[in-house]
Amino acid sequence: MSATPQKNRASRRVLAAAAGLATVGALVAAMPAGAHDRGHGNGHGHGHGHPSRTVDVQLLSFNDLHGNLEPPAGSAGSVSETQPDGTVKSVPAGGVEYLATSLRTARKGHPYSVTAAGGDMVGASPLLSGLFHDEPTIEALNGLDLDVTAVGNHEFDEGAVELARLQNGGCHPVDGCYEKGKKFKGADFPYLAANVTSEKTGKPVLKPYTVWKKNGVKIGFIGVTLEGTPNIVTANGVKGLKFHDEIETVNKYAKELDRQGVKSIVALIHEGGAPASSSYNYDCDSPGAGDGISGPIVDIAKGITPKVDALVTGHTHQAYVCTVPDPSGKPRMVTSASSFGKLYTDTTLTYDRRTQDIVRTSVESANHIVSRDQAKATDMTALIARWNTLAAPIANRPQGFISADINGRGSTAPEKPLGNLIADAQLEGLAPADKGGAVVAFMNPGGIRSDLVYAASGSEGDGVVTYGEAFTVQPFTNMMTVVDLTGAQLVTALQQQVSGSNEASPKILQVSKGLTYTLDMTKTGADRVVTSSILLNGEAIDPAKTYRVAMNEFLSGGGDGFAALGQGTNKLVGASDLDLFNAYLAAHSTADAPLAPPATDRITVVQ
């Protein structure tokens, strides 16, 4: 690894002056002048006399880490790899101890190396990071020598002022400092948010771009999150913010960088696509450029100016290295490295000193597994141990017992065993008349962040579910709500899973026991829900009748494209989703009678 001189790191540090900022508009002002003039490593040009005309710049990238400092457990901690004989093998991957080693090994022999990320570094994090408002993850990213990242939607989970604190440092306004005599220093890499502006000032809430410089080589980075961020983050998180079109924003700032003489540009975009195969080493340029990938990133890539030389993407947690044609018809690299630090992308950008641009025809890229059979980075091991010591009293408390893995995040099925368990817990906790009188509960699939794994994560013993493990499944600590919805609104909500903004990529709600229906995926749009099949406790839904429905505050706010769920009335706010989940585990399991994975027989899927 090429170590960055300490004084350089200190000068790059974003000043902590804005730790207590109360307004979003002041965030940009808090950035120090020249914070974007970043150089990574201390290598030299080619040759001893004159540098050669071209320089190979190594771009290392990853995305959607979500505070997974420890190796993710269960199926969420593996990647699929297609073998030479066509079979698919599952390979354990991830964990920052291994990610640090992978990146440091990859940088060796590359004097020009820059490391960038595609957003969602924090948020929806396991307890080790989430309990401390993701300070441990920012510390780890500083240690990984991350140079720049885009914001993702999860960077806004706790609002813009908290995001400013992660950038600028300072102790948490409510929880204070976690270690005596230690003040959180913030990120020593810039967070970029080109398409997120303050409603008051109209200005970006964080820097829109940064320029990485080394020995005359200049590469601009523009960072955006998906325009639809407000639809997938709680209303409080995006209060006072406006999210703009990704293509228009990137093109605007690419023009600005070009005018400044920065001809080599990389866009960091927290939006992604779906490759035709889940194998990380699938060739998505087969049969032709970009033929093997679909989803929002394809249209975005086709609309972004040819001034941009490569796109580092994320959000969909998929792995792909594709070339999608730019508006001039030339192929351009579009990459994503799965999630949770399980992969990293290594891209070679050949920089022409004369034109100051990237030679696009020679751009090469590949994803690599962050394997767990390499040495751990000792500084990351120490960082994890330090924070684990602080988290242990809370994390290790047993909550319940399970007899086998209960798959959630790792399940690709529309109905997930863990989804059923969570929905049942929410219904049971909110069914009593004084708790809301719920008759059915809905859980958004994206809120299930991991599996419940039978194997022990620490010294608690196999089959024991600890508070830390339960937190990792549901880290948002969303407050639960119970609302009145008509039968007609209930049916519409089920149709919104597979129509409108969710048609291309369905979001199948996890439902509590008693609700059954058929999903016919051979049809299109709302017709995919067979309305005559919808039964609640064996009875057809009456469109005119009122039902008490339990769901988290994100769904009851109409999140994830479920506008019908946002139309509820007579709202009662209850306990948090995590509290209800833990209460259910305690009530329904003992060491002698552990909880078995629930059957998945509520949604019948016709393919």
Side-chain angles (χ1 to χ4, degrees), residues 94-151:
V96 294
E97 294 160 292
Y98 303 109
L99 179 60
T101 298
S102 288
L103 294 175
R104 290 163 186 176
T105 304
R107 287 179 192 136
K108 281 175 184 165
H110 293 276
Y112 293 82
S113 183
V114 57
T115 304
D120 276 7
M121 294 295 99
V122 300
S125 305
L127 184 108
L128 175 62
S129 188
L131 190 63
F132 306 106
H133 298 279
D134 281 312
E135 289 181 20
T137 296
I138 298 296
E139 260 190 31
L141 292 170
N142 288 345
L144 288 175
D145 285 333
L146 182 64
D147 287 297
V148 58
T149 183
V151 292

Side-chain angles (χ1 to χ4, degrees), residues 88-445:
V88 177
K89 180 179 161 190
S90 184
V91 183
V96 294
E97 294 160 292
Y98 303 109
L99 179 60
T101 298
S102 288
L103 294 175
R104 290 163 186 176
T105 304
R107 287 179 192 136
K108 281 175 184 165
H110 293 276
Y112 293 82
S113 183
V114 57
T115 304
D120 276 7
M121 294 295 99
V122 300
S125 305
L127 184 108
L128 175 62
S129 188
L131 190 63
F132 306 106
H133 298 279
D134 281 312
E135 289 181 20
T137 296
I138 298 296
E139 260 190 31
L141 292 170
N142 288 345
L144 288 175
D145 285 333
L146 182 64
D147 287 297
V148 58
T149 183
V151 292
N153 50 289
H154 282 283
E155 264 80 19
F156 294 95
D157 283 346
E158 294 188 48
V161 174
E162 172 61 5
L163 174 56
R165 187 184 76 88
L166 290 181
Q167 175 74 88
N168 299 312
C171 297
H172 191 268
V174 177
D175 294 346
C177 299
Y178 296 112
E179 294 174 290
K180 201 174 178 182
K182 261 193 181 179
K183 188 177 168 190
F184 173 58
K185 290 176 179 173
D188 66 7
F189 50 89
Y191 259 114
L192 304 181
N195 67 331
V196 188
T197 58
S198 158
E199 280 178 352
K200 274 187 188 160
T201 66
K203 289 181 178 161
V205 297
L206 290 169
K207 289 162 63 70
Y209 59 82
T210 189
V211 180
W212 178 88
K213 295 176 182 175
K214 179 155 186 204
N215 297 344
V217 174
K218 290 186 293 188
I219 298 178
F221 288 89
I222 303 166
V224 296
T225 185
L226 67 153
E227 186 183 5
T229 291
N231 305 325
I232 52 176
V233 173
T234 55
N236 275 345
V238 293
K239 206 173 176 181
L241 304 177
K242 214 167 173 189
F243 292 78
H244 302 269
D245 181 86
E246 304 94 338
I247 299 172
E248 286 173 20
T249 304
V250 172
N251 288 354
K252 170 186 163 183
Y253 287 110
K255 199 181 272 182
E256 193 171 305
L257 282 166
D258 188 55
R259 279 202 305 268
Q260 293 173 17
V262 179
K263 308 293 182 190
S264 300
I265 302 171
V266 175
L268 308 175
I269 303 175
H270 191 71
E271 178 60 292
S277 161
S278 61
S279 287
Y280 90 95
N281 54 344
Y282 162 70
D283 178 8
C284 58
D285 283 337
S286 176
D291 285 347
I293 187 169
S294 59
I297 200 61
V298 178
D299 289 335
I300 291 172
K302 286 178 176 172
I304 283 177
T305 171
K307 290 183 198 299
V308 173
D309 299 295
L311 277 59
V312 171
T313 73
H315 187 55
T316 56
H317 290 206
Q318 302 297 309
Y320 48 84
V321 173
C322 306
T323 52
V324 179
D326 70 14
S328 72
K330 288 186 185 143
R332 175 170 54 195
M333 202 60 80
V334 179
T335 68
S336 172
S338 182
S339 64
F340 301 169
K342 292 182 287 191
L343 297 177
Y344 71 92
T345 314
D346 190 337
T347 304
T348 301
L349 301 172
T350 301
Y351 182 92
D352 186 324
R353 287 183 183 275
R354 196 169 299 165
T355 63
Q356 298 188 329
D357 207 349
I358 301 300
V359 184
R360 282 263 292 276
T361 50
S362 69
V363 174
E364 289 176 0
S365 187
N367 273 328
H368 301 278
I369 296 180
V370 176
S371 82
R372 296 186 199 162
D373 57 8
Q374 59 184 324
K376 294 179 180 183
T378 54
D379 57 330
M380 294 297 153
T381 305
L383 181 147
I384 289 168
R386 206 179 91 234
W387 287 103
N388 261 333
T389 303
L390 290 172
I394 294 170
N396 298 339
R397 284 204 307 254
Q399 303 297 313
F401 304 85
I402 56 175
S403 63
D405 287 0
I406 303 180
N407 283 350
R409 192 78 191 181
S411 165
T412 53
E415 181 185 351
K416 305 169 196 307
L418 190 49
N420 287 356
L421 179 63
I422 291 168
D424 288 351
Q426 294 176 352
L427 177 61
E428 182 169 294
L430 300 171
D434 62 335
K435 297 283 193 277
V439 294
V440 66
F442 291 136
M443 174 63 190
N444 54 309

